[in-house]
Amino acid sequence: MLRLEARPNPSKPMQALTPILAVLATMVAGGILFLLLGKNPFEAIRMLFWDPVLGEYAFYYRGQILIKAAPLIMIALGLSFGFRANIWNIGAEGQFIMGAICGGAVGLAFYPMEAFWIFPLMIIVGTLGGMLWALIPAFLKNRFNANEILVSLMLVYVAENFLAAMVTGPLRSPVGMNFPVSRSFNDYPAANNPELITGSGLHWGVVTALFLVIVAYVALTRHIGGFQVRVAGQSSRAAKFAGINPKLMVAICLGLSGALAGMAGIFEVTGPAGNLSTHLPLGYGFTAIIVAFLGRLHPVGVLMAGLLLAITIVGGDIVQTSLQVPKASIQVFQGMLLFFLLGFEILINFRVRLTIKGAA
Amino acid sequence: MDFSAISPVSLIVSLMIASTPILLAAIGELVVEKSGVLNLGVEGMMIFGAISGFIAAVTSGSPLIGFIGGAAGGALLSVLFIILTQYLMANQVASGLGLTMMGLGLSALLGYSYAGIKPPASAHLDIAGLSDLPVVGPILFSHDIMIYFSIALVAGVWYFLNRTKAGLILRAVGENHDAAHALGYKVIRVRLLAILFGGACAGLGGAYLSLIRVPQWTEGMTTGAGWIALAIVVFGSWKPWRVLIGAYLFGGVTILQLNLQAVGVNIGAAYLSMTPYIITIIVLVVMSADKKRASINAPAMLGRLFHASK
């Protein structure tokens, strides 16, 4: 019989090992899933993980990986700070949308003016838009004790509907033949987030995401704020003794993660997406939750996890088109990854002992 | 704009239909939370119930088997949550989120070839004389069976929690699992059964959506109903009858905004579609604002992990 024995201290090697174990287990379980769908599991797993990075057309896919990884990493960095402090912002998708709308609206307001400051201004306003959207649940939690999980999630649906209202109303393109889309940012140089090196996928959002990983790493390991976040998550009583204001912590964690989600949104809409439309939300805000956990809430881990999840998104598209499997199978794949991660976490805090029944 | 197109009687009837999926899911989650477990995967179990119920009904031709299939599907998905949180001590919030993602993915995968099919029609209550009465007839005596079942379920849960020994044990586990364990109650087993019940209820709610409310299968068709059910439990301060009131109020708002859209009120459809979610937030705020009242009925162990060795 298997018995669980609590470890006196969390196991360090297991903390590093569990994400790898989870990915391997997901590959096996995912292979079984593809087998059930009547596909060759080895081929499918190869397409998911190998082809985007090192396959025949990888020169194209690598750029795509960066494009998908940037918003995931950016959002997950913010979320991981909050998750550490036990503050659950699960509405990053809504903050992403609001960032795109606010920043995008600024750019559209100045059309067709050409000035160097328009794009930076859009980024700033987009970031603030995401932050303010996330501060709504923070305020409601601090002032009225309302659960931030439910409020932030409800606001995703509000944001989605607001986006629909904007692109069918004030922000609809006058040259879009009445389609519910905004003017294209790719045709408006002052508001464009272009590919910096052709074919590389590198845009300003990717650069910023990488820079933010470094900032987050320094903040978490070297700055008092990072320490406070960690203490607040581990014990709210200890946090009080350490002089941490819990309400301020809620506001900072939600505001910060909202700001980063909003920033990801405005980089996305000005670059890879190209315009505001109801097709803008791709679920990055939800996938980033998996990225945060897979990266064990650590900036460097988030960087690696974001790249891995981006590979599976790009690989998922390859599998979908060449093996004719439904798009949802990749969603199931990501769900399995989160399950295995959470399941294997037990190895960090517990030792699994094999005992013979009756003897123990 | 013609408000006379909105008939109060048909409004109440459609209100009950709109409320029932959320009511079913919420009453299940209430039992789960009373046992001290926070399962945020309601949305996932609901949509998985919607597709498994749909498939069961379409392949068997019987709506009843469809509802059984929906309940079984929801309970089956909740097993994943049980393994993670009860045996592997995983964080309940994260596991619930994972359950929702998994449910959305699996349902889309299973439902791939079921889009656009009509499910078999469900039987409605038809009592000669009573069902034909004006006003009272349509409101009280001519619904589909599931509406009566959902109200009976609320009564049953109330009776179970407040008048039976098993219900008392379940509440004890939710209030203080260490004390309940010391008294010899099987904490994990009680919670396991509660989570299964919650999963079955959520699945039933989902099946109601795909078999009666809509009725067809579309990907992601729950559109947050599971999350709203979670909010309704808070609104009802963990009391079955208040959960019923909450679900009906919420259904009322949904139906009202749909009717306003239909008669062409001069507000954009997208803005009206926001209202159920905004109302949910307002309700949460109002109910949580009084910290004392909110904490009286909330189970003390909500979301806490239990390990017997401690």
Side-chain angles (χ1 to χ4, degrees), chain A residues 4 6 33 37 86 88 90 140 144-147 149-151 153-155 157-158 161-162 164-166 286 289-290 293 325-326 328-329 331-332 335-336 338-339 342-343 346 350, chain B residues 40 80 84 87-91 93-95 97-99 101-102 104-106 108-109 112 223-224 227-228 230-231 270-271 273-274 277-278 280-281 284-285 288-289 291 307:
Chain A
L4 291 174
L33 173 76
L37 288 169
N86 258 325
W88 299 89
I90 61 168
L140 296 179
F144 300 106
N145 196 27
N147 182 310
I149 301 175
L150 293 173
V151 174
L153 190 94
M154 286 296 127
L155 287 174
Y157 294 101
V158 177
N161 280 305
F162 186 64
M166 286 296 112
F286 295 113
I289 296 172
I290 305 180
F293 280 111
V325 296
S329 42
Q331 226 176 321
V332 175
M336 287 196 291
L338 184 53
F339 273 136
L342 294 169
I346 192 165
F350 290 85
Chain B
L40 289 180
L80 288 173
L84 278 180
Y87 294 105
L88 297 175
M89 316 284 161
N91 178 304
V93 173
S95 304
L97 289 177
L99 199 65
M101 291 183 191
M102 194 67 155
L104 287 168
L106 276 178
L109 197 59
Y112 192 53
T223 56
W227 294 102
I228 289 165
L230 281 160
Y271 289 108
S273 304
M274 286 178 200
Y277 308 108
I278 293 177
T280 306
I281 293 173
L284 265 177
V285 165
S288 315
K291 268 194 185 172
H307 187 243

Coordinates of all heavy atoms in Angstrom, one line a residue, chain A residues 4 6 33 37 86 88 90 140 144-147 149-151 153-155 157-158 161-162 164-166 286 289-290 293 325-326 328-329 331-332 335-336 338-339 342-343 346 350, chain B residues 40 80 84 87-91 93-95 97-99 101-102 104-106 108-109 112 223-224 227-228 230-231 270-271 273-274 277-278 280-281 284-285 288-289 291 307:
Chain A
L4 N 1.5 8.2 2.5 CA 2.1 9.5 2.4 C 2.7 10.0 3.7 O 2.1 9.9 4.7 CB 1.1 10.6 1.9 CG 0.6 10.4 0.5 CD1 -0.6 11.4 0.2 CD2 1.7 10.6 -0.5
A6 N 4.6 13.2 5.5 CA 4.9 14.6 5.3 C 6.4 14.8 5.5 O 7.0 14.3 6.4 CB 4.1 15.5 6.3
L33 N -4.2 9.8 -25.8 CA -5.4 10.6 -26.3 C -5.4 10.6 -27.9 O -6.4 10.3 -28.5 CB -5.3 12.1 -25.8 CG -6.3 13.0 -26.4 CD1 -7.7 12.8 -25.8 CD2 -5.9 14.5 -26.2
L37 N -8.0 8.9 -30.6 CA -8.6 9.6 -31.8 C -8.2 8.9 -33.1 O -8.5 9.4 -34.2 CB -8.0 11.0 -31.8 CG -8.5 12.0 -30.7 CD1 -7.8 13.3 -30.6 CD2 -10.0 12.3 -30.9
N86 N -1.1 34.2 -2.7 CA -2.5 33.6 -2.6 C -3.6 34.6 -3.1 O -4.7 34.7 -2.5 CB -2.8 33.2 -1.2 CG -2.7 31.7 -1.1 OD1 -3.0 31.0 -2.0 ND2 -2.2 31.2 0.0
W88 N -5.7 35.5 -6.3 CA -6.0 34.8 -7.5 C -6.7 35.7 -8.6 O -7.9 35.8 -8.6 CB -6.9 33.6 -7.2 CG -6.2 32.6 -6.3 CD1 -6.3 32.6 -4.9 CD2 -5.4 31.5 -6.6 NE1 -5.5 31.6 -4.4 CE2 -5.0 30.9 -5.4 CE3 -4.9 31.0 -7.9 CZ2 -4.1 29.8 -5.4 CZ3 -4.1 29.9 -7.8 CH2 -3.7 29.4 -6.6
I90 N -7.8 35.5 -12.0 CA -8.0 34.6 -13.1 C -8.7 35.3 -14.3 O -9.2 34.7 -15.2 CB -8.7 33.3 -12.7 CG1 -10.1 33.6 -12.2 CG2 -8.0 32.5 -11.7 CD1 -11.0 32.4 -12.1
L140 N -13.0 45.9 -4.9 CA -14.1 45.3 -4.3 C -13.7 44.3 -3.3 O -14.5 44.0 -2.3 CB -14.9 44.6 -5.5 CG -15.5 45.5 -6.5 CD1 -16.3 44.7 -7.6 CD2 -16.4 46.5 -5.8
F144 N -15.2 45.6 0.1 CA -16.4 44.9 0.3 C -16.2 43.4 0.6 O -17.1 42.6 0.7 CB -17.4 45.0 -0.8 CG -17.8 46.5 -1.1 CD1 -17.3 47.1 -2.2 CD2 -18.6 47.1 -0.2 CE1 -17.7 48.5 -2.4 CE2 -19.0 48.4 -0.4 CZ -18.5 49.1 -1.5
N145 N -14.9 43.0 0.6 CA -14.6 41.6 0.9 C -15.1 40.6 -0.2 O -15.3 39.4 0.0 CB -15.3 41.2 2.2 CG -14.8 40.0 2.8 OD1 -13.6 39.6 2.6 ND2 -15.6 39.3 3.6
A146 N -15.4 41.1 -1.4 CA -15.9 40.3 -2.5 C -14.7 39.4 -3.1 O -13.6 39.9 -3.2 CB -16.5 41.1 -3.6
N147 N -15.1 38.2 -3.4 CA -14.1 37.2 -3.8 C -13.5 37.6 -5.2 O -14.2 37.8 -6.2 CB -14.8 35.9 -4.0 CG -13.8 34.8 -4.4 OD1 -13.1 34.9 -5.3 ND2 -13.9 33.7 -3.7
I149 N -11.6 36.0 -7.2 CA -11.6 35.0 -8.3 C -12.8 35.2 -9.1 O -12.8 35.3 -10.3 CB -11.6 33.6 -7.6 CG1 -10.4 33.4 -6.8 CG2 -11.7 32.5 -8.7 CD1 -10.4 32.0 -6.0
L150 N -14.0 35.3 -8.4 CA -15.3 35.4 -9.2 C -15.4 36.7 -9.9 O -15.8 36.8 -11.0 CB -16.4 35.1 -8.2 CG -16.6 33.7 -7.7 CD1 -17.6 33.6 -6.6 CD2 -16.8 32.7 -8.8
V151 N -15.0 37.8 -9.2 CA -15.2 39.1 -9.8 C -14.2 39.2 -11.0 O -14.7 39.7 -12.1 CB -14.9 40.2 -8.8 CG1 -14.9 41.6 -9.5 CG2 -15.9 40.2 -7.6
L153 N -13.1 37.0 -12.9 CA -13.6 36.2 -14.0 C -14.8 36.8 -14.7 O -15.0 36.8 -15.9 CB -13.9 34.7 -13.6 CG -14.1 33.9 -14.8 CD1 -12.9 33.2 -15.3 CD2 -15.3 33.0 -14.7
M154 N -15.8 37.3 -13.9 CA -17.0 37.9 -14.4 C -16.6 39.0 -15.4 O -17.2 39.3 -16.4 CB -17.9 38.4 -13.3 CG -18.6 37.4 -12.5 SD -19.8 36.5 -13.5 CE -19.3 34.9 -13.3
L155 N -15.5 39.8 -15.0 CA -15.1 40.9 -15.8 C -14.5 40.5 -17.1 O -14.4 41.3 -18.0 CB -14.1 41.7 -15.0 CG -14.7 42.6 -13.8 CD1 -13.6 43.3 -13.0 CD2 -15.7 43.6 -14.4
Y157 N -16.1 38.4 -19.1 CA -17.2 38.4 -20.0 C -17.7 39.8 -20.3 O -18.1 40.1 -21.4 CB -18.4 37.6 -19.3 CG -18.0 36.1 -19.2 CD1 -17.6 35.5 -18.0 CD2 -18.1 35.3 -20.3 CE1 -17.3 34.2 -17.9 CE2 -17.8 33.9 -20.2 CZ -17.4 33.4 -19.0 OH -17.1 32.1 -19.0
V158 N -17.6 40.7 -19.3 CA -17.9 42.1 -19.5 C -17.0 42.7 -20.5 O -17.4 43.3 -21.5 CB -17.8 42.9 -18.2 CG1 -18.1 44.3 -18.4 CG2 -18.8 42.3 -17.1
N161 N -17.8 41.5 -24.1 CA -18.9 42.2 -24.6 C -18.6 43.6 -24.9 O -19.1 44.2 -25.9 CB -20.1 42.1 -23.7 CG -20.8 40.8 -23.8 OD1 -21.2 40.4 -24.9 ND2 -20.9 40.0 -22.7
F162 N -17.8 44.3 -24.1 CA -17.4 45.6 -24.3 C -16.6 45.7 -25.7 O -16.8 46.7 -26.4 CB -16.5 46.1 -23.2 CG -16.2 47.6 -23.2 CD1 -17.2 48.5 -23.2 CD2 -14.9 48.0 -23.4 CE1 -16.9 49.9 -23.3 CE2 -14.6 49.4 -23.5 CZ -15.6 50.3 -23.4
A164 N -16.9 43.8 -28.2 CA -17.9 43.6 -29.3 C -18.6 45.0 -29.5 O -18.9 45.4 -30.7 CB -18.9 42.5 -29.0
A165 N -19.0 45.7 -28.4 CA -19.7 46.9 -28.5 C -18.8 48.0 -29.2 O -19.3 48.8 -30.0 CB -20.1 47.4 -27.1
M166 N -17.5 48.0 -28.9 CA -16.6 48.9 -29.4 C -16.4 48.7 -30.9 O -16.4 49.7 -31.7 CB -15.2 48.9 -28.7 CG -15.2 49.4 -27.3 SD -15.5 51.2 -27.3 CE -17.1 51.3 -26.6
F286 N -5.9 32.7 -20.0 CA -6.2 31.5 -19.3 C -4.9 30.5 -19.4 O -4.6 29.9 -18.5 CB -7.4 30.8 -19.8 CG -8.6 31.6 -19.6 CD1 -9.4 32.2 -20.6 CD2 -9.1 31.8 -18.3 CE1 -10.5 32.9 -20.3 CE2 -10.2 32.6 -18.0 CZ -10.9 33.1 -19.0
I289 N -2.2 31.0 -17.0 CA -2.3 30.4 -15.6 C -1.5 29.1 -15.6 O -0.8 28.9 -14.6 CB -3.8 30.1 -15.3 CG1 -4.6 31.4 -15.2 CG2 -3.9 29.4 -14.0 CD1 -6.1 31.3 -15.1
I290 N -1.6 28.3 -16.6 CA -0.8 27.1 -16.7 C 0.7 27.4 -16.8 O 1.5 26.8 -16.1 CB -1.2 26.3 -18.0 CG1 -2.7 26.0 -18.0 CG2 -0.4 25.0 -18.0 CD1 -3.2 25.2 -19.1
F293 N 2.0 28.2 -13.3 CA 2.2 27.0 -12.5 C 3.4 26.2 -13.0 O 4.2 25.7 -12.2 CB 1.0 26.2 -12.4 CG 0.0 26.7 -11.4 CD1 -1.2 27.3 -11.8 CD2 0.3 26.7 -10.1 CE1 -2.1 27.8 -10.9 CE2 -0.6 27.2 -9.1 CZ -1.8 27.8 -9.6
V325 N -7.2 16.6 -36.4 CA -7.8 16.4 -35.1 C -8.5 17.7 -34.7 O -8.1 18.8 -35.2 CB -6.8 15.9 -34.1 CG1 -6.2 14.6 -34.4 CG2 -5.7 17.0 -33.9
P326 N -9.6 17.6 -33.9 CA -10.2 18.9 -33.5 C -9.3 19.8 -32.7 O -8.4 19.3 -32.0 CB -11.4 18.4 -32.6 CG -11.5 17.0 -32.8 CD -10.2 16.5 -33.4
A328 N -9.8 21.3 -30.2 CA -9.9 21.1 -28.7 C -8.9 20.2 -28.1 O -8.6 20.2 -26.9 CB -11.3 20.7 -28.4
S329 N -8.4 19.2 -29.0 CA -7.5 18.2 -28.4 C -6.3 18.9 -27.8 O -5.7 18.4 -26.8 CB -7.1 17.2 -29.5 OG -6.8 17.9 -30.7
Q331 N -6.3 21.8 -26.3 CA -6.9 22.3 -25.0 C -6.8 21.2 -23.9 O -6.4 21.5 -22.8 CB -8.3 22.7 -25.3 CG -8.7 24.1 -24.7 CD -10.1 24.4 -25.1 OE1 -10.5 24.1 -26.2 NE2 -10.8 25.0 -24.2
V332 N -7.3 20.0 -24.3 CA -7.2 18.9 -23.4 C -5.8 18.6 -23.0 O -5.5 18.4 -21.8 CB -7.8 17.6 -24.1 CG1 -7.7 16.4 -23.2 CG2 -9.3 17.9 -24.4
G335 N -4.8 21.0 -20.5 CA -5.5 20.7 -19.2 C -4.8 19.6 -18.5 O -4.6 19.6 -17.3
M336 N -4.4 18.6 -19.3 CA -3.7 17.4 -18.7 C -2.4 17.9 -18.0 O -2.0 17.4 -17.0 CB -3.4 16.4 -19.7 CG -4.6 15.6 -20.2 SD -4.2 14.1 -21.0 CE -3.6 14.7 -22.5
L338 N -1.6 20.7 -16.7 CA -1.9 21.4 -15.4 C -2.2 20.3 -14.3 O -1.7 20.4 -13.2 CB -3.0 22.4 -15.6 CG -3.4 23.2 -14.3 CD1 -2.2 23.9 -13.7 CD2 -4.4 24.2 -14.6
F339 N -3.0 19.3 -14.7 CA -3.4 18.3 -13.8 C -2.1 17.5 -13.3 O -1.9 17.3 -12.1 CB -4.3 17.3 -14.4 CG -5.7 17.7 -14.2 CD1 -6.6 17.6 -15.3 CD2 -6.2 18.2 -13.0 CE1 -8.0 18.0 -15.1 CE2 -7.5 18.6 -12.9 CZ -8.4 18.5 -13.9
L342 N -0.1 19.7 -10.9 CA -0.7 19.8 -9.5 C -0.5 18.4 -8.8 O -0.3 18.4 -7.6 CB -2.1 20.2 -9.6 CG -2.4 21.6 -10.2 CD1 -3.8 21.8 -10.5 CD2 -1.9 22.6 -9.2
G343 N -0.7 17.4 -9.6 CA -0.6 16.0 -8.9 C 0.8 15.7 -8.4 O 1.0 15.3 -7.3
I346 N 2.7 16.9 -5.0 CA 2.7 16.2 -3.7 C 4.1 15.7 -3.4 O 4.5 15.5 -2.2 CB 1.7 15.0 -3.7 CG1 1.5 14.5 -2.3 CG2 2.2 13.9 -4.7 CD1 0.3 13.7 -2.1
F350 N 5.6 15.8 0.4 CA 5.3 14.5 1.0 C 6.3 13.5 0.4 O 6.7 13.6 -0.8 CB 3.9 14.0 0.7 CG 2.9 14.8 1.5 CD1 2.3 15.9 1.0 CD2 2.4 14.3 2.7 CE1 1.4 16.6 1.7 CE2 1.4 15.0 3.4 CZ 0.9 16.2 2.9
Chain B
L40 N -13.8 24.9 -7.8 CA -14.0 26.0 -8.8 C -14.3 25.4 -10.2 O -14.3 26.1 -11.1 CB -12.9 26.9 -8.8 CG -12.7 27.9 -7.6 CD1 -11.5 28.7 -7.8 CD2 -13.9 28.7 -7.3
L80 N -11.6 13.5 -11.1 CA -10.2 14.1 -11.3 C -9.9 15.0 -10.2 O -8.8 15.0 -9.6 CB -10.1 14.8 -12.6 CG -10.1 14.0 -13.9 CD1 -10.2 14.9 -15.1 CD2 -8.8 13.2 -14.0
L84 N -7.0 14.7 -7.2 CA -6.0 15.8 -7.0 C -6.1 16.4 -5.6 O -5.1 16.5 -4.9 CB -6.2 16.9 -8.0 CG -5.6 16.7 -9.4 CD1 -5.9 17.9 -10.2 CD2 -4.1 16.5 -9.3
Y87 N -6.6 13.2 -2.5 CA -5.5 12.2 -2.3 C -4.1 12.7 -2.6 O -3.1 12.3 -2.0 CB -5.8 10.9 -3.2 CG -7.0 10.2 -2.8 CD1 -8.2 10.3 -3.5 CD2 -7.0 9.5 -1.6 CE1 -9.4 9.7 -3.0 CE2 -8.2 8.8 -1.2 CZ -9.3 8.9 -1.9 OH -10.5 8.3 -1.4
L88 N -4.0 13.7 -3.5 CA -2.7 14.2 -3.8 C -2.5 15.6 -3.2 O -1.5 16.3 -3.4 CB -2.5 14.3 -5.3 CG -2.5 12.9 -6.0 CD1 -2.4 13.1 -7.5 CD2 -1.3 12.0 -5.5
M89 N -3.4 16.1 -2.3 CA -3.2 17.3 -1.6 C -3.0 18.5 -2.4 O -2.2 19.4 -2.0 CB -2.1 17.2 -0.5 CG -2.0 15.9 0.2 SD -3.3 15.9 1.5 CE -3.3 14.2 1.8
A90 N -3.5 18.5 -3.6 CA -3.2 19.7 -4.5 C -4.1 20.9 -4.1 O -5.1 20.7 -3.4 CB -3.5 19.3 -5.9
N91 N -3.6 22.1 -4.4 CA -4.3 23.3 -4.1 C -5.7 23.3 -4.8 O -5.9 23.0 -6.0 CB -3.5 24.4 -4.7 CG -4.2 25.8 -4.5 OD1 -5.3 26.0 -4.9 ND2 -3.5 26.7 -3.9
V93 N -8.0 25.7 -5.4 CA -8.2 26.7 -6.4 C -7.7 26.3 -7.8 O -8.3 26.3 -8.8 CB -7.7 28.1 -5.9 CG1 -7.8 29.1 -7.0 CG2 -8.4 28.5 -4.7
A94 N -6.4 26.0 -7.7 CA -5.7 25.6 -9.0 C -6.3 24.4 -9.6 O -6.5 24.3 -10.8 CB -4.2 25.4 -8.8
S95 N -6.7 23.4 -8.8 CA -7.3 22.2 -9.3 C -8.6 22.4 -9.9 O -9.0 21.9 -11.0 CB -7.5 21.1 -8.2 OG -6.2 20.9 -7.6
L97 N -9.6 25.3 -11.3 CA -9.3 25.9 -12.6 C -8.9 24.9 -13.7 O -9.4 25.0 -14.8 CB -8.2 26.9 -12.5 CG -8.4 28.2 -11.7 CD1 -7.2 29.0 -11.6 CD2 -9.6 29.0 -12.3
G98 N -8.1 24.0 -13.3 CA -7.7 22.9 -14.2 C -8.9 22.1 -14.6 O -9.0 21.8 -15.8
L99 N -9.8 21.8 -13.7 CA -11.0 21.0 -14.0 C -11.8 21.8 -15.1 O -12.4 21.2 -16.0 CB -11.8 20.8 -12.8 CG -12.8 19.7 -12.8 CD1 -12.1 18.3 -13.0 CD2 -13.6 19.6 -11.6
M101 N -10.7 24.0 -17.3 CA -10.0 23.9 -18.6 C -10.2 22.6 -19.3 O -10.5 22.4 -20.4 CB -8.5 24.2 -18.4 CG -8.2 25.6 -18.0 SD -6.5 25.9 -17.9 CE -6.4 27.5 -17.2
M102 N -10.1 21.5 -18.4 CA -10.2 20.2 -18.9 C -11.6 19.9 -19.4 O -11.8 19.3 -20.5 CB -9.9 19.2 -17.7 CG -9.6 17.8 -18.2 SD -8.1 17.8 -19.1 CE -7.7 16.1 -18.8
L104 N -13.8 22.1 -20.5 CA -14.1 22.8 -21.8 C -13.4 22.1 -23.0 O -14.0 22.0 -24.0 CB -13.5 24.2 -21.6 CG -14.3 25.2 -20.7 CD1 -13.6 26.5 -20.5 CD2 -15.7 25.5 -21.4
G105 N -12.2 21.6 -22.8 CA -11.4 21.0 -23.8 C -12.1 19.6 -24.2 O -12.4 19.4 -25.4
L106 N -12.3 18.8 -23.2 CA -12.9 17.5 -23.4 C -14.3 17.6 -24.1 O -14.6 16.8 -25.0 CB -13.0 16.7 -22.1 CG -11.8 16.0 -21.6 CD1 -12.1 15.3 -20.3 CD2 -11.3 14.9 -22.6
A108 N -15.4 20.0 -26.0 CA -15.3 20.4 -27.4 C -14.9 19.2 -28.2 O -15.3 19.1 -29.4 CB -14.3 21.6 -27.5
L109 N -14.0 18.4 -27.7 CA -13.4 17.2 -28.4 C -14.6 16.2 -28.7 O -14.7 15.7 -29.8 CB -12.3 16.6 -27.6 CG -11.4 15.7 -28.2 CD1 -10.7 16.3 -29.4 CD2 -10.3 15.2 -27.3
Y112 N -17.5 17.4 -31.1 CA -17.0 17.8 -32.4 C -18.0 17.5 -33.5 O -18.3 18.3 -34.4 CB -15.7 17.1 -32.7 CG -14.9 17.6 -33.9 CD1 -14.6 18.9 -34.0 CD2 -14.5 16.7 -34.8 CE1 -13.9 19.4 -35.1 CE2 -13.7 17.1 -35.9 CZ -13.5 18.5 -36.0 OH -12.8 18.9 -37.1
T223 N -21.0 29.5 -21.2 CA -20.7 30.9 -21.1 C -20.7 31.4 -19.7 O -21.4 32.4 -19.4 CB -21.6 31.8 -21.9 OG1 -22.9 31.6 -21.6 CG2 -21.4 31.5 -23.4
G224 N -20.0 30.8 -18.8 CA -19.8 31.3 -17.4 C -20.9 30.9 -16.4 O -20.9 31.3 -15.3
W227 N -19.6 29.5 -13.2 CA -19.0 30.6 -12.3 C -20.1 31.3 -11.6 O -20.0 31.7 -10.5 CB -18.1 31.5 -13.1 CG -16.9 30.8 -13.7 CD1 -16.7 30.4 -14.9 CD2 -15.8 30.4 -13.0 NE1 -15.5 29.8 -15.1 CE2 -14.9 29.8 -13.9 CE3 -15.4 30.6 -11.6 CZ2 -13.7 29.3 -13.5 CZ3 -14.1 30.1 -11.2 CH2 -13.3 29.5 -12.2
I228 N -21.2 31.6 -12.4 CA -22.3 32.3 -11.8 C -22.9 31.4 -10.7 O -23.3 32.0 -9.6 CB -23.3 32.7 -12.8 CG1 -22.7 33.8 -13.7 CG2 -24.7 33.2 -12.2 CD1 -23.5 34.0 -15.0
L230 N -21.3 29.5 -8.7 CA -20.5 29.7 -7.6 C -20.8 30.9 -6.8 O -20.9 31.0 -5.6 CB -19.0 29.7 -8.0 CG -18.4 28.4 -8.3 CD1 -17.1 28.6 -9.2 CD2 -18.0 27.7 -7.0
A231 N -21.1 32.0 -7.6 CA -21.5 33.3 -7.0 C -22.8 33.2 -6.3 O -23.1 33.7 -5.2 CB -21.5 34.4 -8.0
A270 N -24.6 44.2 -27.1 CA -23.5 43.8 -26.3 C -23.5 44.4 -24.9 O -23.1 43.7 -24.0 CB -22.2 44.3 -27.0
Y271 N -24.0 45.6 -24.8 CA -24.1 46.1 -23.4 C -25.1 45.4 -22.6 O -24.9 45.1 -21.4 CB -24.5 47.6 -23.5 CG -23.4 48.5 -24.0 CD1 -23.5 49.1 -25.3 CD2 -22.3 48.7 -23.2 CE1 -22.5 49.9 -25.7 CE2 -21.3 49.5 -23.7 CZ -21.4 50.1 -25.0 OH -20.3 50.9 -25.4
S273 N -25.9 42.3 -23.0 CA -25.4 40.9 -22.7 C -24.4 41.0 -21.5 O -24.1 40.0 -20.9 CB -24.6 40.4 -23.9 OG -25.4 40.4 -25.0
M274 N -23.9 42.2 -21.1 CA -23.0 42.3 -20.0 C -23.8 42.2 -18.7 O -23.2 41.8 -17.7 CB -22.4 43.7 -20.0 CG -21.3 43.9 -20.9 SD -20.8 45.7 -20.7 CE -20.0 46.0 -22.2
Y277 N -23.5 39.4 -15.9 CA -22.2 39.3 -15.2 C -22.0 40.5 -14.2 O -21.5 40.3 -13.1 CB -21.1 39.3 -16.2 CG -21.3 38.2 -17.3 CD1 -21.7 38.5 -18.6 CD2 -21.2 36.9 -16.9 CE1 -21.9 37.5 -19.5 CE2 -21.5 35.9 -17.8 CZ -21.8 36.2 -19.1 OH -22.1 35.2 -20.0
I278 N -22.5 41.7 -14.7 CA -22.4 42.8 -13.8 C -23.3 42.7 -12.5 O -22.8 42.9 -11.4 CB -22.7 44.1 -14.5 CG1 -21.7 44.4 -15.6 CG2 -22.8 45.3 -13.6 CD1 -21.9 45.6 -16.5
T280 N -24.1 39.9 -11.2 CA -23.4 38.9 -10.4 C -22.4 39.6 -9.5 O -22.3 39.3 -8.3 CB -22.7 37.8 -11.2 OG1 -23.7 37.2 -12.1 CG2 -22.2 36.7 -10.4
I281 N -21.6 40.5 -10.1 CA -20.6 41.2 -9.3 C -21.2 42.0 -8.2 O -20.8 42.0 -7.0 CB -19.7 42.1 -10.2 CG1 -18.9 41.2 -11.2 CG2 -18.8 43.0 -9.4 CD1 -18.1 42.0 -12.2
L284 N -22.4 39.8 -5.4 CA -21.3 39.3 -4.6 C -20.9 40.4 -3.6 O -20.6 40.2 -2.5 CB -20.1 39.0 -5.5 CG -20.0 37.6 -5.9 CD1 -18.8 37.5 -6.9 CD2 -19.7 36.7 -4.7
V285 N -20.8 41.6 -4.1 CA -20.3 42.8 -3.3 C -21.3 43.0 -2.2 O -20.9 43.1 -1.0 CB -20.2 44.0 -4.2 CG1 -20.1 45.3 -3.3 CG2 -19.0 43.9 -5.1
S288 N -21.1 40.1 0.4 CA -19.9 39.9 1.1 C -19.6 41.1 2.0 O -18.7 41.0 2.9 CB -18.7 39.7 0.1 OG -19.1 38.8 -0.9
A289 N -20.2 42.2 1.7 CA -19.8 43.5 2.4 C -19.9 43.3 3.9 O -19.0 43.8 4.6 CB -20.7 44.6 1.9
K291 N -19.0 41.5 6.7 CA -18.1 40.4 7.0 C -18.7 39.4 8.0 O -18.5 38.2 7.9 CB -16.8 40.9 7.5 CG -15.8 41.1 6.4 CD -14.4 41.3 6.9 CE -13.5 41.6 5.8 NZ -12.1 42.0 6.2
H307 N -5.0 16.4 6.0 CA -4.1 15.2 6.0 C -4.1 14.6 7.4 O -3.9 15.3 8.4 CB -2.7 15.6 5.6 CG -1.9 14.3 5.4 ND1 -0.8 14.1 6.1 CD2 -2.0 13.3 4.5 CE1 -0.2 12.9 5.7 NE2 -1.0 12.4 4.8

